[in-house]
Amino acid sequence: MNRQDRADAVDREMAVSLLPDAAVQALGRWWSENASAHADGTPGAHTVRYAPSRWVQITPWPSALALTSCGGDAGVSRAEVASAVADALRREAFREALVATYVWGKGKRGTPGGSGPAALRKILAAEGLDAALGSAVSALREHGSRQAYAVLHRRVPGLGPSFFTKFLYFVGKTVSSATGPQPLVLDRVLAKRLRQMATAVGRASGYDLDGCVATWVWADGNWSPHRYEVYLSFMHAAAWPLATAGRHAHHPTCSNTPCSPPHGRPPADGTAREKRCALLFPGGVWVGTARWRLHRSSRCRTRRRPGAGAVRTPGRRQQAAGRSRPPSPQ
């Protein structure tokens, strides 16, 4: 097996094992503590604080956000951002939609001269931005989330996956994906959690004994379209057992489309049928707030340790095959 084969094998193992008990328990604790703030069963009330005056040089400025002439802090909820993006899409005001999602994603983090307003100004000045955003919206509608991600991947200088997936996430509240699940946010915090899970699964299955494959595919950024598709599939599948069991059935990242089970399983009765199965995390952000741990990833070694070339599979040992293949999708 080469590195991509091992990555694919770990992905398959994760698709079977799904969430570890520690994560499920942490989700239950989070929901018990926060259910009252999400009475409608969606993350719409989740609000981010920001300082409008920091963004005074940003145009176009969405009307859903507080005026930049206002002093102090303001708040904007997911529901308000979703409404602002829906309005912008109706007018094909893609820049305005991006600004709303970027301010929500950044909040009060960053510095005026660094990340935040300065970075957004550079993104808004990029050549071909409108065409890229419009093409991503069309790709989601006509093809699906992976293709929409691929349109923006490495397309606009300064606009990386951590923020353009926020744009896609809110676009997905208005535009249905042609195939597959709706877009979710994928950022460095989520990638770290998935890297922890992949490390534990890879070690247990023997496909990634030292965690190097997990470190490679779940890096801190610049994930490939293939990796984003794997991520969406995993999140969708991991949510389904909780929904069918009636646990956290209305937990965040629901849309108003019927719940569609993975792998052709019949839909569950009750509340799990009412909304889509991406229920686990509010746009993919919850993982960073719940407190749970997996085995720490060992540091990726540049020199192969003795025996690392032999990949252990359940019930046997298989010597890695040194066949060549095209550049990997990660």
Side-chain angles (χ1 to χ4, degrees), residues 120-142:
L120 181 55
R121 284 200 305 273
K122 293 178 181 178
I123 292 169
L124 293 173
E127 184 178 356
L129 175 64
D130 293 292
L133 296 176
S135 296
V137 173
S138 297
L140 179 63
R141 181 185 295 112
E142 298 170 6

Side-chain angles (χ1 to χ4, degrees), residues 13-71:
E13 293 291 330
M14 286 183 65
V16 173
S17 58
L18 298 179
L19 289 178
D21 291 340
V24 175
Q25 292 166 6
L27 175 61
R29 290 193 298 271
W30 186 93
W31 185 241
S32 65
E33 296 169 0
N34 294 274
S36 61
H38 305 283
D40 63 351
T42 77
H46 170 228
T47 298
V48 171
R49 306 295 296 177
Y50 67 103
S53 60
R54 291 184 59 214
W55 305 85
V56 67
Q57 297 183 20
I58 298 300
T59 57
W61 188 250
S63 60
L65 301 179
L67 295 176
T68 55
S69 58
C70 295

